[in-house]
Structure formats: C-alpha cells, structure tokens
Amino acid sequence: MKLHEYQSKQLFSKRGIRIPRGRVAMTAAEARAIAEELGGRSVIKSQVLVGGRGKAGGIRLANNPEEAEELATEVLGMEIKGLPVRKVLVDEAAEIGSEIYLGITNDRMARSPVMISSAEGGVEIEEVASSSPEKIARVWIDPLLGLRDYQARNLAASMELPRDNWREFEGIARGLYETYVATDASLAEINPLVITKSGELLALDGKIVLDDNALYRHADLAELRDLDEEAPSEREARKYGLSYVKLEGEIGCMVNGAGLAMATMDVIKHLGGAPANFLDIGGGAGAEKVAAALGIILADHNVKSVMFNIFGGITRCDEVARGILMALREVRTDLPMVARLVGTNEEEGRKLLADADMNTAASLVDAARKAIAAAQGES
Ligand code: GDP
Ligand code: MN
C-alpha cells in the first residue's frame, strides 16, 4: 500500500524530519485560503500515487494566493498517468540550493535494509542508477543494531554534503530509518531532500510503501488507504481475498497457490507467451471467489486468452469449474480459455467444463501451449 506525499511527510515529521509548512486542499478555493495563510510563494502539488508528477506538470509554483487558486484549478482538473487528481498539497515554497536523494528499502539478497543516498536528487533514482551508478552510495543496516551514526556520516561524506549539515543529516537518516521500521514499510524515500539557500535540510517530497502483510498491526496506517486511488481490480481482489498482481502480458492466469502461480507464469514465459497477471485464488476457493477472480481477469483489456491451472487438494476441481461457469454466465466473453484441472474431483470438474464447450488440457505445458496459441490467434 502506497501512502501519499502529504501522509508520508507527516510521518517523517513525527520523527523530527523538517518538512515545509502546508496542508491538503480538495478545491481551488481551499488552496487559495491555505496559500493566504502560508503567505508568500507556495507550491501546488498534485496528490496522486505515481512518481514523476513534476515532469507531468503536476507540481506548480504560485507567487501569490490568486495564482495558487488558478494553478490549483488547473492541477485539480488534470490526470497524471491515468489517475485523476482529486487533491493538492499546498506547501510553502522552498528556496532550493541543491537536491539530494535519501531512501531506504529491503535488500533481499543481503537480507537487511539498505539505506541509499545520492547527490543527484530530484530525478528518479532508477535513472541515476543506470546512467551514473557511481553517484549512488549504500549502507546496509543490521536490524539488531539499527542505523549507526558513522553509517549516516559515510553517506554524507560520499555525497560531499557540506560539513555544517552532517549532524542534521544524521538526524534525518535516523528519522527515516525509524519511520521505516515503525511502519513496517518496504520503502521510505525523500526525493528531493533539499539544502535550502539558507543552508537547512528540508524534505520536499516523501514516499512510503507499506507492507500489506503487516497492516494488521497498524490500524492507524491502514486507515490512510485512499480508495479513490486504487485500481478497481485491486479493490475487488482485496475484497475477495485474492492475491492479484497485474502484469503487461496477454494471457490471463487463474491458479491456486502462489508457488503454482509462479510456475505457471514461468512455463508461459518459457514457451514464448506473456502472462497478463499473477493471480492466486488460494486454497479451498469456492465458486463465488473463482467467479470474482475471472471477472477481474476479464476486465483487463490486454487479456487475449485465459488459462486455468488448478491443482485440486483442499480446492475441489468441480467447485472451481462451477465458479468458472457462474462467472461466464455473468460476464459474457468470446475469449478463448483453456483449463487444466487435476486432483480432487477432477473428472467432475472437467466434465462440467467440457459440457460447456471449454477447451481442456492434459498437462501444464499442454495448457500453456494452447493458451499461447489462442492469444496469438492460432487456435
Ligand atoms: P515528483 O516529480 O512526483 O517526484 O514530485 P516532487 O515533489 O519531488 O517535485 C518535483 C520537483 O519540483 C522537485 O525536484 C523540485 O525541483 C521542484 N519543487 C518541488 N517543491 C518545490 C518548492 O517548494 N520550491 C521549488 N523551487 N521547487 C520545488
Ligand atoms: Mn520526488
């Protein structure tokens, strides 16, 4: 779950990281009132859960409250990468001297959090990583020891941060680490962290991605979820307890079990196809859940064929077949589908699908081949 910039910055602020004064507005009139309150110049910042808002024209500098209102009207009418802007953050404008990057995430290979910094702030860190990797510094943090002061100083030194800012930077790095740990985040990022013209460090942008699997112990954070920002498919999947990740390919996959879902995607890739999603319906899924899952797959317009790969254990193949048929009665579609059902009640399941003229397959490879051929229009 991603948090908005304003939510992330408020969490940073609680841990002593300095952020600009400002508030969120839903209307242009509110934005003007906030700008009046702040006095002087302000920035109007679209609050949508994607990066690169600046480049897309979603971050604008207003010289006075009138301009703030005009720009807020514009920004609130925008769509950024397909997401309509519903609120703006109105912040006091900062006098930027230079922009740096500071972030923390999990390094799975190292099995520990890694804090990353770069003097090349303000641009996406992935860009810096590919164009000038030498400008990125990393320190790995032992979770039992926490971030050590010398590690923060190493980052400061590698960025050639002015000496005067080191102590302040150590505080920010510690605050960021504490936020990351306390919220069970998988990413916490300040980009840019700026050195203002008056020589102070200030977090201008903030991004936090929370681990959904840890949300059960953060009721306060779970409440921050912005339902407006969720893709309808994600909302549906969460409602029915499905693990769903949309991908860019054309073959919709419905599988029970995360491991089998991964294997299914691998086989599709291996045979030259591209999966449209990862979808695990979980163990013991009933017809209704299966129907919801198929609805989600069919709502994706990239999908050209659908492959079911069900290993019946606790999940019964006939129940899955009934779910598929139930969904197909609701969502009419001409998309080719292939089902591979094995295990508990497989004969009943296959018979139900065969009676409904669904293509069945004897093995995983057979199913994948048929789904790929169908997606390429060769069936
Ligand atoms: P992003 O594009 O979604 O990452 O949004 P950011 O909040 O990082 O803003 C993008 C860029 O806008 C920053 O890197 C700054 O260069 C600029 N910017 C943001 N806030 C201010 C501000 O208060 N004053 C000035 N002068 N520039 C700002
Ligand atoms: Mn940014």
Side-chain angles (χ1 to χ4, degrees):
M1 170 180 153
K2 287 183 193 162
L3 296 185
H4 279 296
E5 172 193 359
Y6 74 94
Q7 298 167 328
S8 307
K9 289 203 297 201
Q10 275 161 16
L11 289 170
F12 293 157
S13 165
K14 278 192 196 155
R15 304 266 166 188
I17 297 173
R18 202 194 324 261
I19 61 170
R21 291 188 300 140
R23 277 195 292 123
V24 168
M26 306 283 287
T27 65
E30 260 179 89
R32 180 194 183 118
I34 297 169
E36 260 158 20
E37 215 176 282
L38 294 171
R41 297 197 309 159
S42 56
V43 249
I44 308 296
K45 311 187 74 176
S46 53
Q47 297 298 291
V48 281
L49 296 175
V50 287
R53 296 164 303 160
K55 264 190 218 156
I59 309 277
R60 312 286 289 276
L61 207 61
N63 288 306
N64 50 53
E66 293 73 47
E67 255 182 57
E69 181 167 6
E70 277 165 38
L71 291 172
T73 308
E74 257 181 61
V75 173
L76 284 165
M78 281 177 74
E79 259 191 17
I80 299 180
K81 298 183 184 169
L83 296 173
V85 179
R86 294 196 172 86
K87 35 186 184 231
V88 291
L89 172 63
V90 185
D91 262 0
E92 187 175 42
E95 298 290 334
I96 300 179
S98 58
E99 309 191 22
I100 63 184
Y101 173 96
L102 184 65
I104 176 167
T105 186
N106 255 340
D107 182 340
R108 288 167 197 273
M109 298 300 278
R111 299 180 190 173
S112 77
V114 59
M115 189 169 271
I116 302 166
S117 75
S118 172
E120 281 307 88
V123 290
E124 286 190 32
I125 195 68
E126 290 81 1
E127 261 170 53
V128 185
S130 71
S131 63
S132 30
E134 74 286 352
K135 290 196 176 136
I136 294 183
R138 298 178 178 82
V139 293
W140 284 268
I141 304 167
D142 183 327
L144 296 178
L145 299 176
L147 178 75
R148 314 304 299 184
D149 286 346
Y150 78 87
Q151 295 184 301
R153 282 196 292 276
N154 282 350
L155 292 178
S158 72
M159 289 188 286
E160 294 178 27
L161 198 71
R163 275 274 175 181
D164 286 347
N165 292 113
W166 281 27
R167 171 120 320 163
E168 202 184 351
F169 178 78
E170 280 170 45
I172 291 173
R174 204 175 312 118
L176 186 66
Y177 176 70
E178 284 169 5
T179 308
Y180 176 80
V181 173
T183 59
D184 282 316
S186 56
L187 176 81
E189 191 179 82
I190 306 175
N191 187 25
L193 173 64
V194 301
I195 309 175
T196 61
K197 293 222 168 102
S198 52
E200 290 173 331
L201 291 175
L202 187 64
L204 272 209
D205 191 9
K207 178 174 175 183
I208 294 181
V209 181
L210 300 172
D211 180 350
D212 286 342
N213 294 314
L215 275 180
Y216 73 94
R217 53 183 198 183
H218 301 286
D220 51 332
L221 297 176
E223 258 173 39
L224 297 179
R225 191 189 290 280
D226 187 342
L227 294 173
D228 286 345
E229 290 281 320
E230 267 194 320
S233 57
E234 286 169 14
R235 202 176 314 153
E236 276 289 294
R238 199 156 39 78
K239 188 166 129 199
Y240 286 94
L242 302 159
S243 303
Y244 172 80
V245 181
K246 184 181 157 24
L247 301 166
E248 300 306 314
E250 318 173 320
I251 300 171
C253 307
M254 190 194 299
V255 189
N256 65 326
L260 189 60
M262 301 289 267
T264 305
M265 290 162 53
D266 281 351
V267 168
I268 290 172
K269 274 264 179 199
H270 182 69
L271 295 173
N277 63 276
F278 167 95
L279 199 166
D280 171 16
I281 60 171
E288 203 178 320
K289 199 166 174 182
V290 171
L294 187 54
I296 290 169
I297 292 177
L298 295 177
D300 176 353
H301 296 297
N302 288 341
V303 170
K304 297 220 171 66
S305 72
V306 181
M307 170 173 168
F308 304 94
N309 186 21
I310 303 298
F311 184 80
I314 304 171
T315 311
R316 290 162 33 207
C317 292
D318 60 319
E319 186 72 13
V320 170
R322 257 186 284 279
I324 294 171
L325 297 177
M326 186 167 122
L328 289 178
R329 273 194 296 274
E330 274 168 37
V331 198
R332 300 253 158 232
T333 174
D334 299 328
L335 282 184
M337 302 190 179
V338 187
R340 178 217 177 205
L341 308 177
V342 291
T344 311
N345 294 0
E346 61 179 76
E347 284 86 15
E348 292 93 320
R350 259 190 244 128
K351 180 163 184 327
L352 281 167
L353 292 181
D355 287 348
D357 288 331
M358 169 130 9
N359 205 345
T360 57
S363 70
L364 171 52
V365 168
D366 183 31
R369 285 221 171 92
K370 284 177 173 162
I372 293 167
Q376 293 165 352
E378 292 165 13
S379 67

